[in-house]
Structures are given as C-alpha cells and as structure tokens.
Amino acid sequence: MRKNIGTYDRILRLSIAILLFAFAFWSHSWILAAFGLFTLYEAAASWCVLYQIIGKNTCSIKKK
C-alpha cells in the first residue's frame, strides 16, 4: 500500500472524521460512526482507496 494522501488532505480528512464522530454521537448513528472510522483510517494510513483507483496522488514523497 503506497501512500497517496498529502498533509493537507490528511488534516482535512481528520477534521471530517472528528465531525462525523461528533454527529454520530449526537444522532446515535452507527453508520456515521463507521464512515468516521473509515475516514480516520485514511488519514492515519495516508492512503485512499478512491485515489488508488483513479491514480491520483497528493503525497509529496517521491516515487523510486
């Protein structure tokens, strides 16, 4: 799994994950909590499955 998410995207996804968790707690929705967990995983792993499929890379690490 090659990193394909840059710093700005990671911060944005972390913010979205926090908002999803807060809204899931407020509305008692386990579906929103699952989306928040998935978004948190993407931010922590620096890898996005959608970016992988379409070939997008915002990570500043150069490929060898």
Side-chain angles (χ1 to χ4, degrees), residues 11-64:
I11 292 170
L12 181 66
R13 288 169 196 257
L14 181 62
S15 301
I16 291 170
I18 291 170
L19 289 173
L20 283 171
F21 280 131
F23 194 62
F25 180 74
W26 179 65
S27 64
H28 303 289
S29 173
W30 63 271
I31 295 172
L32 286 176
F35 279 117
L37 186 62
F38 183 72
T39 307
L40 182 65
Y41 167 75
E42 286 182 336
S46 295
W47 181 76
C48 176
V49 67
L50 181 63
Y51 279 12
Q52 185 76 33
I53 291 169
I54 64 174
K56 187 172 180 179
N57 187 350
T58 61
C59 187
S60 62
I61 297 173
K62 300 294 180 192
K63 295 179 185 177
K64 290 185 177 180

